[in-house]
Amino acid sequence: MTWSGLILAGFSLLITVITVILVLAGLFGLRELRAIRKAREDASARVEAMLTDASRLLADLREEVDGIDERMNSMVEVSYLFNQGELAYRDGEYAKAVGFLSRAATLDPRNARTFYRLGRALTNLGDETAAAQRFKEMQELDTVTGDAERGLALVYRYSDPGGALRWAQRAVEIAPDNHSNHNCLGLILRDGGDIAGASKAHEKAARLNSDSAVTPFFLALLKARTNATERAAVESRTAAYRVNEQQQLTPVKSLWAELIRWAERVLAADYESAEKHVRVLADICTSRRRAREIGGHMAFLLRALEREPLLDRFLGPIERRWPPRQGE
């Protein structure tokens, strides 16, 4: 074989080897290309799934934010309605208070404070059925303060004295540290003629709360009943002082303020000044139920002091506007 033949044979072998290498490289490249394409498809699917999850999460977050906004708006509205109802109640506009507080209770049916004030407004309007229903609904919301039970005691104060006493006692059992519960119990006991028991209840209230204006007022009436006139005058002055101090800081119901000032003037035998307070009371007393309560306190004090001839002078202006119903 000549050199030229050998060169051609070697060249042919080289071409063959290169061809085989290229074919093998092509096969491996195709497999790698398929793997790359598969990885790209998998990555695209994962990205799409992530985008779907992100979109769903964003929608959930948007829904949650909308829910928070709605709850915030509801809370703001409930707060506004309660405050308006409280102001109306304080001014003796009980029907107006019921309107605001009923709407607040509808928006927030778990707010015990709203139910209590609504029940009290209905009580003062003389709607015992609706008031009792509200307080019984409140019992499911508040099991620790005795407020609902105290409200029921006041609802039934005149129509069911025995039931009122049981509710007042229950309120004290539930929350023995709540001075308002002891004051309520004392009031119901006084209605029933238990002066000693009433005094004990109000004295307990006085120990629990040294800022209350109504507690020394209740005690003043009871001390007058037991002929402790000097002690009654001291308690009455304390009540009037606290009313004056508290009205500079927080609103005190004007009805109570005028009644407390009236009692202080009566105990001081300053009947002309007492008469001025009666005229104010007659103007601001806006319900028959309230007139009965005010008249009851006034009559109790005047009889305790043996000053019955003054009954018409002081109760008359109120009873002429709100004459008692038969049997009251």
Side-chain angles (χ1 to χ4, degrees), residues 100-273:
F100 282 119
L101 295 167
S102 294
R103 287 159 58 194
T106 299
L107 289 172
D108 186 4
R110 306 296 300 173
N111 192 321
R113 187 174 64 155
T114 299
F115 276 81
Y116 178 77
R117 184 55 70 206
L118 177 55
R120 292 294 295 124
L122 289 165
T123 301
N124 291 337
L125 285 174
D127 191 344
E128 291 190 3
T129 301
Q133 178 62 34
R134 289 306 190 180
F135 287 127
K136 287 173 182 177
E137 291 170 352
M138 181 186 169
Q139 285 181 295
E140 300 178 5
L141 307 176
D142 177 6
T143 60
V144 298
T145 67
D147 288 353
E149 289 73 19
R150 185 174 73 252
L152 286 165
L154 295 173
V155 167
Y156 296 122
R157 179 183 175 189
Y158 300 120
S159 61
D160 181 8
L165 179 59
R166 288 190 293 274
W167 283 118
Q169 291 169 333
R170 179 60 181 150
V172 170
E173 290 172 3
I174 292 172
D177 293 333
N178 187 332
H179 79 283
S180 295
N181 293 341
H182 290 277
N183 274 335
C184 177
L185 177 59
L187 187 62
I188 303 302
L189 289 170
R190 192 191 83 187
D191 288 347
D194 185 354
I195 304 303
S199 297
K200 183 179 178 180
H202 292 308
E203 286 166 358
K204 175 66 173 178
R207 290 193 295 273
L208 290 170
N209 187 314
S210 60
D211 295 323
S212 170
V214 297
T215 303
F217 166 75
F218 289 140
L219 284 170
L221 269 57
L222 291 168
K223 296 305 176 184
R225 177 67 172 74
T226 57
N227 297 318
T229 310
E230 289 298 323
R231 176 66 187 280
V234 170
E235 295 287 359
S236 185
R237 285 195 295 270
T238 299
Y241 172 79
R242 289 179 182 175
V243 162
N244 294 333
E245 288 294 303
Q246 291 171 17
Q247 282 197 318
Q248 296 177 16
L249 301 174
T250 57
V252 176
K253 297 181 185 68
S254 52
L255 203 68
W256 275 107
E258 292 302 321
L259 180 61
I260 287 170
R261 290 169 180 144
W262 170 85
E264 191 269 336
R265 289 293 82 204
V266 166
L267 281 161
D270 182 359
Y271 300 136
E272 289 186 8
S273 296

Side-chain angles (χ1 to χ4, degrees), residues 26-44:
L27 290 173
F28 282 112
L30 182 61
R31 184 179 301 167
E32 186 66 23
L33 185 62
R34 288 174 178 171
I36 292 172
R37 184 180 295 117
K38 181 65 168 62
R40 186 186 66 186
E41 292 174 351
D42 291 345
S44 296

